[in-house]
Amino acid sequence: MNWLLLVLGLPTANATERMRAWRALKGCGAAVLRDGVYLLPDQEAGRAALEAIERDVLAINGTALLFSVQEPAERFAALFDRAEEYIKLREEISACHAEISPDNALQTARQVRKLRKSFGQIVAIDFFSGDAREQVDLALKDLETAISRALSPDEPSAREIPIERLACADFQGRRWATRRRPWVDRLASAWLIRRFIDSDAQILWLESPGDCPNDALGFDFDGATFTHNGPRVTFETLQESFQLEAPGLGRLAGLVHYLDVGGAQPAEASGIERVLAGLRESITDDDLLLQAAAGVFDGLLIAFASEEKSNG
């Protein structure tokens, strides 16, 4: 295996530059072989980081020498063990999980974004990953799911039944009902109904699923006409039932899926979750909340469609 060695000699009088170099070395995950000698696996990102440090040190009249050596991976792998960092992060995740309640779920969601960022920083310098990385990732996903459950305590359980193909023309001017104080899946599903299925839909916000009128089409609760089905959240069930294939809609479905039940995290998920959480916290009227959230989903659909067009 190829390794990079950086040998540094920093001017003792320049404490600021010494600290800057130390932070850069720590940030890229370099291991210390001895005082002034640092090691990284020879990878593109690590090489770029060490080359930048070398240039900075030479610019302040220090000494710096970067070169490559070849040694078996096991000779130095133990120097890059991130187990303690993963354990510390796992403890923080467990503490958050233990304190989740409907009252603090939004605040906890903000903390989870910081934990997810910390996890990403460790992963970036975890050159010899083991089970610890996967365990922390699963713990984070469990925590994210628990937050969604706290924000939406009556979240439906998934069923597994064949999805009937339906025509939008048969569902015009209907009443559609779901649980009050909607979170991501219900907000997105209500938007999807009005945007693509039934533009004149009347949305009813139920205190309890048992309050659903007989003539209303229920969605996103146990026993509803449209709800979670297998791995699909309600948004995806509606999308497949009515065969909706507008540009950008598939990517939006992936975002809704992640924010509702977890899974692969889209790049924009944290930002969108923060916007929707802020709307939900500040708008107590569910009709007004849907109106505000619809603007977010409209914008996302346009942006995703535009990106698909550019990339296609």
Side-chain angles (χ1 to χ4, degrees):
M1 178 175 177
N2 289 331
W3 299 85
L4 294 170
L5 277 175
L6 178 63
V7 182
L8 295 181
L10 290 160
T12 57
N14 199 329
T16 299
E17 292 300 332
R18 290 174 65 87
M19 182 60 67
R20 181 180 176 185
W22 178 81
R23 286 175 177 165
L25 287 162
K26 183 179 179 181
C28 68
V32 182
L33 283 183
R34 52 162 295 175
D35 188 31
V37 182
Y38 304 92
L39 178 75
L40 273 180
D42 191 353
Q43 299 174 358
E44 183 177 351
R47 178 175 287 275
L50 294 186
E51 286 175 346
I53 295 168
E54 180 187 33
R55 288 194 300 270
D56 290 344
V57 171
L58 291 173
I60 59 170
N61 296 320
T63 59
L65 176 63
L66 177 64
F67 58 95
S68 178
V69 297
Q70 191 168 31
E71 292 287 344
E74 56 270 19
R75 179 166 185 183
F76 298 123
L79 296 173
F80 299 91
D81 184 5
R82 307 297 177 194
E84 289 188 9
E85 295 166 83
Y86 282 127
I87 289 171
K88 182 180 178 181
L89 187 57
R90 183 86 180 264
E91 290 172 350
E92 293 182 57
I93 294 169
S94 296
C96 278
H97 207 148
E99 297 174 358
I100 292 175
S101 72
D103 293 333
N104 68 14
L106 288 173
Q107 292 83 352
T108 305
R110 288 191 281 270
Q111 179 64 25
V112 171
R113 287 192 288 271
K114 296 178 182 177
L115 293 173
R116 178 63 74 176
K117 181 178 180 180
S118 297
F119 176 63
Q121 290 170 338
I122 298 173
V123 167
I125 58 173
D126 184 13
F127 307 112
F128 304 94
S129 61
D131 293 339
R133 178 195 293 191
E134 184 178 352
Q135 290 168 0
V136 172
D137 189 31
L138 289 173
L140 273 171
K141 289 175 180 175
D142 287 344
L143 177 55
E144 289 160 344
T145 300
I147 290 170
S148 291
R149 297 289 184 186
L151 287 167
S152 186
D154 296 322
E155 193 70 9
S157 55
R159 58 185 183 179
E160 188 76 57
I161 63 173
I163 293 181
E164 182 182 359
R165 299 298 184 265
L166 304 170
C168 294
D170 297 331
F171 290 81
Q172 297 305 297
R174 299 291 300 273
R175 294 205 295 172
W176 300 72
T178 192
R179 294 166 291 138
R180 63 181 295 276
R181 299 311 296 148
W183 183 227
V184 178
D185 194 17
R186 277 171 284 153
L187 284 171
S189 294
W191 167 82
L192 187 75
I193 289 165
R194 283 186 171 166
R195 176 70 186 265
F196 291 100
I197 301 169
D198 180 3
S199 60
D200 294 323
Q202 178 186 359
I203 306 296
L204 306 179
W205 307 108
L206 307 174
E207 189 70 36
S208 165
D211 299 331
C212 185
N214 291 332
D215 66 336
L217 296 164
F219 64 96
D220 202 51
F221 58 83
D222 283 333
T225 307
F226 302 98
T227 188
H228 291 207
N229 192 332
R232 304 173 190 84
V233 298
T234 301
F235 185 97
E236 295 168 307
T237 298
L238 285 162
Q239 184 186 10
E240 185 164 341
S241 295
F242 291 95
Q243 304 157 74
L244 306 175
E245 298 180 353
L249 198 57
R251 188 168 164 190
L252 184 54
L255 175 63
V256 174
H257 182 103
Y258 171 77
L259 292 177
D260 194 52
V261 297
Q265 182 176 7
E268 55 281 324
S270 295
I272 298 306
E273 181 188 44
R274 188 171 185 178
V275 170
L276 293 176
L279 292 176
R280 191 177 190 265
E281 195 169 16
S282 61
I283 302 174
T284 57
D285 182 283
D286 290 345
D287 287 319
L288 295 179
L289 174 59
L290 174 57
Q291 182 179 336
V296 175
F297 295 127
D298 284 337
L300 284 170
L301 185 68
I302 292 170
F304 290 159
S306 178
E307 289 179 20
E308 286 180 5
K309 184 178 180 180
S310 297
N311 295 334

